[in-house]
Amino acid sequence: MKQKMARYEMHKYWGKKPSKDLLQLIEKYSKVGDVVLDPFAGYGVFVCEAYLNGRNSIGNDLNPLSTFIQKQLLESDIDLDLFELETSRILKENQEYIDKWYITKCPKCGENAKILSTLRSKDNSPLMNKVRCSCSRSGVEYELTDTESNEIITKEENTFLNEHPQSKLIRNGRISVFDDMSTDDVFTKRTLECHSQLLASINSIENENIKNLAKIAFTSNLANCSKLVPPIKTRGPMAPGAWMTGFYIGETYLENNVFHYFENRVAKVISGKKDFFNQNSSLLGIEDKGQVT
């Protein structure tokens, strides 16, 4: 659900409730200085709104990702200039992989262009590219030749993946998880290599708060760069739809550029933290802020 407040758009965690509606409940059933508890805190919208409006907040959730997101949402000890420097460094550090996987020739003008997304079939065959090139404001979509498609497949087959996080998925036919499936099965070889290199770079950040904030951008980007992004065919073969809530992979899917979309998520995180800092310092005054646990 679109929150329309940047602080609640930093991560694509599901199940967020409208912040204005939650604030009405907070103001109706509590007063400044009271303790409020959200035992199913999720992203932390309720906890954050309570805190910013002078309540002492306690947030809890069974999902450790939820707890992690809440901590980054409410963290005040963040140097956003340093965050921008570090994330820019990370992208420069991974230029080799950007060039390897996402730079191609524009079919319209022949100049170098950045691949934004690739349409692939269920058997992972590349079908179409959408590229960003200076010759077009809206991007260029084109069908891949057999040679171009085979070049991507061959490059993936010859890629050795370094050690990276991998988890076995629990069988659940309702959400299309079957025997012997792991998290690797919902990513292409290209995105697995790019994600593993990106995560290694993030883990090299010395400042713990900056590193954790970068992981907010990284984890929010995972589903968006998986096989779980179906095209909305009525709008065009490469019109992106919302990523799946289960593990269903359609007849075709959009494989997005890991580094391009990570950069987009970084911008969302910066905007969200600026929004939180502005509210934290101006809504009631520092002395009236609550505490959060």
Side-chain angles (χ1 to χ4, degrees):
M1 179 175 292
K2 189 71 175 175
Q3 291 287 331
K4 297 183 180 179
M5 289 187 180
R7 60 186 179 272
Y8 303 131
E9 294 297 320
M10 293 194 298
H11 198 283
K12 294 185 176 182
Y13 195 88
W14 55 89
K16 301 174 200 168
K17 302 300 184 288
S19 55
K20 290 184 179 178
D21 293 347
L22 294 179
L23 180 56
Q24 288 179 0
L25 293 175
I26 291 164
E27 292 177 334
K28 182 175 181 179
Y29 294 108
S30 69
K31 61 183 182 298
V32 172
D34 279 355
V35 176
V36 297
L37 165 68
D38 186 350
F40 310 102
Y43 183 100
V45 178
F46 181 85
V47 172
C48 186
E49 286 300 296
Y51 164 72
L52 290 174
N53 287 275
R55 278 68 171 173
N56 299 300
S57 304
I58 301 173
N60 185 52
D61 200 287
L62 286 174
N63 190 339
L65 176 60
S66 165
T67 304
F68 179 75
I69 292 170
Q70 290 174 61
K71 287 181 178 178
Q72 310 324 310
L73 169 63
L74 294 157
E75 179 60 64
S76 295
D77 185 17
I78 294 288
D79 182 340
L80 287 180
D81 290 334
L82 178 59
F83 179 71
E84 287 192 74
L85 283 173
E86 289 284 20
T87 49
S88 295
R89 175 187 65 80
I90 284 169
L91 291 169
K92 289 177 183 177
E93 189 174 281
N94 284 281
Q95 190 62 51
E96 171 190 349
Y97 298 96
I98 295 171
D99 293 342
K100 173 183 176 180
W101 290 115
Y102 298 118
I103 300 299
T104 189
K105 295 293 183 183
C106 174
K108 289 182 67 175
C109 68
E111 297 296 322
N112 280 349
K114 179 168 72 172
I115 298 171
L116 299 179
S117 56
T118 299
L119 182 71
R120 302 182 75 149
S121 63
K122 195 168 188 175
D123 67 0
N124 300 322
S125 298
L127 304 175
M128 295 181 69
N129 269 348
K130 181 176 182 178
V131 300
R132 173 175 289 174
C133 183
S134 57
C135 73
S136 173
R137 294 181 63 184
S138 58
V140 179
E141 295 181 10
Y142 63 96
E143 291 186 11
L144 295 171
T145 64
D146 289 343
T147 300
E148 291 170 322
S149 179
N150 288 333
E151 182 180 338
I152 296 171
I153 293 170
T154 301
K155 199 182 293 186
E156 287 184 323
E157 289 175 346
N158 293 331
T159 294
F160 174 77
L161 291 173
N162 293 326
E163 185 175 346
H164 60 279
Q166 182 182 12
S167 298
K168 181 177 174 58
L169 299 176
I170 299 171
R171 179 181 173 83
N172 186 340
R174 186 176 61 84
I175 57 173
S176 299
V177 177
F178 305 108
D179 289 335
D180 300 320
M181 279 185 68
S182 76
T183 47
D184 274 14
D185 291 315
V186 294
F187 296 96
T188 65
K189 197 83 168 284
R190 168 163 61 179
T191 53
L192 278 173
E193 179 173 55
C194 292
H195 278 130
S196 64
Q197 295 299 328
L198 183 56
L199 182 59
S201 295
I202 290 171
N203 283 332
S204 73
I205 298 173
E206 293 184 3
N207 183 295
E208 199 67 22
N209 288 347
I210 298 297
K211 180 194 298 186
N212 287 336
L213 200 58
K215 286 183 177 179
I216 288 291
F218 177 82
T219 56
S220 181
N221 197 43
L222 286 171
N224 198 45
C225 292
S226 70
K227 296 179 183 180
L228 307 178
V229 183
I232 303 177
K233 295 180 181 179
T234 55
R235 299 181 185 175
M238 296 195 72
W243 48 270
M244 300 292 186
T245 53
F247 293 87
Y248 173 78
I249 300 169
E251 291 304 311
T252 58
Y253 64 88
L254 288 171
E255 177 204 17
N256 290 320
N257 179 328
V258 170
F259 298 105
H260 173 76
Y261 281 90
F262 173 74
E263 196 171 4
N264 287 350
R265 296 312 308 177
V266 165
K268 290 275 190 183
V269 168
I270 292 171
S271 178
K273 290 309 295 185
K274 285 181 177 178
D275 178 38
F276 174 75
F277 291 153
N278 289 338
Q279 287 296 106
N280 197 32
S281 62
S282 66
L283 187 63
L284 292 174
I286 295 296
E287 69 277 8
D288 293 323
K289 288 297 173 291
Q291 296 181 346
V292 65
T293 303

